[in-house]
Amino acid sequence: MTCFNKTPRDRFSRFPGPAFTLPALRGRIFWLVATFAPFQAQAAPDPIITDFGDDQVLTELPRSAAEVFRETDSSEKAGDRLQILITQARASGDPRYLGYAQTLVNRWPEEQLTDRLRVLRATLRQSLHQFDSARSDLERVISSSSDKQQRIQARLTLANLELVQGRYKEAEQHCQALQSAYPGLIAQSCLASVQARTADPETAYRNLASQLAESINRQPADSTSQLWTEGTLGDIAAQAGLPEAKVHWQRVVKATPDDLYVRAQLADWHLGKGHFEQVLTLTQGFEAVDTLAVIRAIAMERMGHPDSNELNSRLRQRFEEARWRGALLHARDVARFELDIENQPQEALRLAIENWESQREPLDTRLLLRSALAANDTVQYQRVRDWLKEQGQSDARYPEFKQ
């Protein structure tokens, strides 16, 4: 059991690897290899508490930490541990798992990295927003690996990275290549996502929904591919303004409660509809995950919840600590907090611009539109509008685009 120092500056200073706050929810991870299901359903960490006894143990290291520090001469075992750690980080929102993962992979000399370790390192780097180095790892595996499975995994991971960054031509090329090498629902979901963001989301939705139904009728789809497709259908339906978005996301959350990305998408959809009680239900127990905590804070603020000030105070402290460390890993959540809770549109705009330079998911784009309008910055507002027109992207969640 390990204690962490109680002072705000040192709360996370003793875990291995870089200092950062909770991992941002950007895209999803799909493993073509074993998914280590027993490790996926981890609870979110407890919210930040500031009143401690002098002898109180604040937290325990994750149970797999000891495994990280055990020396191994097997790249296969290292890959297994690395994959578990990345999955646990995504499922729990606990940043220490990413720190352990980075410590583990850093122990392997560059010349000894296997294709699998390189793909996993790229996935880790994407989680840490090191997009260029992640892309470099994935492109190397795609171009030089003799392992077909790892080439496919690298292709899928890279397609997702390009989609997150709004590089749709590159994403489409990888989706097409994935369709040739690994045909099925995953490749079809990949292509549908690109079509939705560059052309017609309603057509993309209908086509993918039909492909899912055909796949299930022809032969039962594996549950992971089916849930991945359901999540994609939810994303596209929301973009098209279709009420079916809620149904698809609910199926995913019911089957995999630890899918924090889909949980956040569904919570944000309910927030936009003014369904505040549903938002509180979806975010209950996930206050340590910044994206979900901010959505919860906005809902509580709008409904006049008696615990609103307490949550706002905890988030304010958390974000101030991250700023002090220079470890603000995900500016989108902080920008949204500044805009919708703190009423600081200029600071929200600064952070939204910083975030949009590397990430152009629909929620990133809408936040920049909203922040630019709130700050009366017509230059930034027009910049986003021009980009949307250039991409051919429309989204029912962008009422600001029509102004």
Side-chain angles (χ1 to χ4, degrees), residues 109-134:
E110 187 74 20
E111 63 275 10
Q112 294 182 22
L113 285 174
T114 63
D115 293 328
R116 183 187 179 200
L117 286 174
R118 198 174 295 280
V119 171
L120 288 167
R121 184 175 72 173
T123 304
L124 173 63
R125 285 173 165 178
Q126 182 178 355
S127 296
L128 295 173
H129 295 192
Q130 299 168 6
F131 297 114
D132 290 342
S133 56

Side-chain angles (χ1 to χ4, degrees), residues 26-32 35 40 83 86-87 89-90 98 120 123-124 126-127 153 156-157 160 224 228 259 261:
R26 294 294 182 267
R28 299 153 75 196
I29 294 176
F30 180 88
W31 303 117
L32 295 172
T35 56
Q40 292 183 0
Q83 184 171 333
I86 294 171
T87 300
R90 301 287 300 187
L98 295 182
L120 288 167
T123 304
L124 173 63
Q126 182 178 355
S127 296
Q153 182 71 61
L156 175 60
T157 305
N160 180 66
T224 306
W228 178 278
D259 190 329
Y261 171 82

Side-chain angles (χ1 to χ4, degrees), residues 39-46 88 91-94 97 258 260 285-286 288-289:
F39 296 93
Q40 292 183 0
Q42 302 291 325
D46 293 333
Q88 286 178 312
S92 69
D94 191 328
Y97 289 115
D258 56 307
L260 303 185
F286 293 91
V289 181

